[in-house]
Amino acid sequence: MRETGKPKAISRIGVPRALMFYRYYPFLKTLLEGFGYEVVASPPTNLRIMGMGTDLCVDDVCVAVKALFGHVRYLEEEVDAVLIPRLVSVEKRDYDTFTCPKLIAAPDMVRFSFPHLPPPLEFVVDVGRAPWWWGCVRLGRKLGVPLRGIARAYAAAVREQRRFEDLQYQGLLPADALKRMENGNGGLPPGYASEDRDVAVAVVGHPYLLGDPLVNKRLVHWLDSSGARVLASTMLSPRELEREARRLPDLSWSYERELLAAVSHFMEREGVDGIIYLTSFGCGPDSLVTEMVRREVPNPHGRALLDMVLDEHSAESGVRTRAEAFVDLLRHRKRSRSRAVTA
């Protein structure tokens, strides 16, 4: 372990497998390891973790926050401190941009809900005011890491994050990209990525919904077992999203702007037969953007769009039924159109 002058009271830092874990975990893990700390990620969400989170939260918050609380409760006996990212703004535009309020307030919610724990370590990103790397400097200085060590850890973290994103652009979902990084870059591609399938379904949603099989009730598995190829919004590059976003109304919520652009992309993309739009029950930005998807995004090919709202009470059987019925519908429409063309 590199000598960094870190506080002796902290040696193991936990990262909850929720919210921004599915977007930035390789970056955060590499950064903290570069600072000289052992990083402990909580396990994939299970019923016990989700139950603990549901018990700790008020009913009104979305399922992703309840999952976060469950993971923090799991980690509290395992680590010396918990890292919670605080993402205020993640891009600079000629108008103000923000992330969802729950991402801005996540450290505060944890701090006041777990008063017996040390205050969570924060990784603050507020690109509207300071560059991304400034959050790394703040975190490193709080942990007693010299500037040279911070710079070295930051450079390594950026490389790992690019590797993680490249795997997703090649067709892997966030959880599979993380597994691929842990096990090496080899291995067979997952079945859902097969281009030989007769139907292709695009799933658009936040990475923390797409990446957590318990939260999404194994949606991708049910689509895969129905014989559909699965594309996802997380597989689109920033360039593809930006190209679409320019055609759409401005939106101050950066991540929701991405989702809107992803729907627009898949509405136009050749080979896509239908789109499933995933949202969290109780999420204010999601509820607005769902309406914008319906009203603002052109659908020139008349593609089927299925809204799927998730919460902690969602049943796997219900998601399975809807996924299988959607694939059957798309298959039926495709065959009907093919017969009409040949008639």
Side-chain angles (χ1 to χ4, degrees):
M1 186 176 292
R2 187 181 300 125
E3 181 58 47
T4 59
K6 66 186 179 186
K8 291 183 179 178
I10 299 177
S11 61
R12 289 160 57 90
I13 298 178
V15 180
R17 194 179 292 259
L19 290 179
M20 290 297 99
F21 178 95
Y22 294 100
R23 190 181 282 266
Y24 296 124
Y25 178 64
F27 181 89
L28 297 174
K29 178 176 185 289
T30 308
L31 185 74
L32 292 172
E33 288 179 341
F35 288 173
Y37 291 87
E38 180 184 355
V39 179
V40 179
S42 54
T45 310
N46 53 42
L47 291 176
R48 176 171 170 266
I49 289 175
M50 181 56 76
M52 290 191 296
T54 302
D55 290 342
L56 285 164
C57 288
V58 297
D59 292 339
D60 295 342
V61 300
C62 73
V63 64
V65 173
K66 291 171 182 172
L68 170 69
F69 275 54
H71 282 278
V72 173
R73 172 52 57 87
Y74 176 90
L75 286 169
E76 63 183 347
E77 301 295 333
E78 307 288 330
V79 297
D80 304 312
V82 175
L83 177 75
I84 308 290
R86 185 193 294 278
L87 301 180
V88 181
S89 66
V90 293
E91 60 177 349
K92 292 192 78 167
R93 296 194 176 276
D94 54 3
Y95 54 89
D96 291 335
T97 60
F98 305 95
T99 68
C100 172
K102 62 177 177 281
L103 300 181
I104 299 174
D108 301 316
M109 291 190 289
V110 170
R111 178 179 297 112
F112 289 107
S113 300
F114 296 85
H116 56 288
L117 291 181
L121 297 170
E122 293 186 22
F123 173 64
V124 180
V125 176
D126 190 357
V127 174
R129 295 186 175 184
W132 175 277
W133 54 262
W134 183 243
C136 303
V137 174
R138 287 183 60 180
L139 177 61
R141 299 302 288 170
K142 183 177 179 61
L143 292 171
V145 183
L147 285 176
R148 182 177 298 178
I150 295 172
R152 190 164 46 228
Y154 173 75
V158 169
R159 288 195 295 272
E160 281 301 282
Q161 182 66 22
R162 286 177 181 161
R163 187 172 155 229
F164 174 57
E165 292 173 355
D166 285 344
L167 286 171
Q168 293 181 80
Y169 303 153
Q170 293 167 19
L172 295 182
L173 290 167
D176 291 321
L178 289 171
K179 287 180 187 173
R180 185 69 63 88
M181 292 181 71
E182 292 170 358
N183 302 328
N185 274 332
L188 296 173
Y192 62 74
S194 174
E195 297 182 9
D196 297 333
R197 306 288 177 87
D198 63 335
V199 168
V201 178
V203 183
V204 176
H206 294 290
Y208 51 78
L209 298 179
L210 279 164
D212 192 326
L214 188 120
V215 170
N216 65 43
K217 310 302 176 190
R218 298 201 294 161
L219 170 64
V220 173
H221 167 76
W222 300 125
L223 292 171
D224 180 24
S225 63
S226 298
R229 180 189 180 195
V230 180
L231 303 165
S233 49
T234 50
M235 299 173 188
L236 301 179
S237 68
R239 179 176 296 181
E240 290 172 306
L241 292 171
E242 183 60 30
R243 185 169 58 238
E244 292 296 330
R246 290 195 189 115
R247 307 164 50 200
L248 301 168
D250 291 338
L251 197 62
S252 289
W253 294 314
S254 298
Y255 292 140
E256 282 69 22
R257 184 172 181 268
E258 282 185 6
L259 300 183
L260 202 61
V263 173
S264 179
H265 171 89
F266 288 126
M267 285 291 190
E268 299 273 0
R269 180 165 167 172
E270 186 177 352
V272 173
D273 298 296
I275 300 166
I276 296 178
Y277 186 63
L278 284 181
T279 59
S280 294
F281 178 79
C283 177
D286 273 0
S287 62
L288 174 64
V289 175
T290 299
E291 286 301 308
M292 294 182 71
V293 165
R294 291 279 182 193
R295 302 182 186 199
E296 303 288 348
V297 178
N299 186 4
H301 305 292
R303 286 180 179 158
L305 175 65
L306 172 64
D307 296 334
M308 192 171 286
V309 183
L310 301 170
D311 66 15
E312 67 276 17
H313 303 299
S314 298
E316 188 170 292
S317 57
V319 171
R320 176 182 182 178
T321 301
R322 297 187 73 189
E324 291 176 346
F326 191 61
V327 173
D328 286 344
L329 166 73
L330 298 179
R331 198 166 274 139
H332 175 74
R333 290 182 65 178
K334 200 166 186 177
R335 289 171 181 165
S336 297
R337 289 178 176 175
S338 179
R339 283 196 294 268
V341 169
T342 56

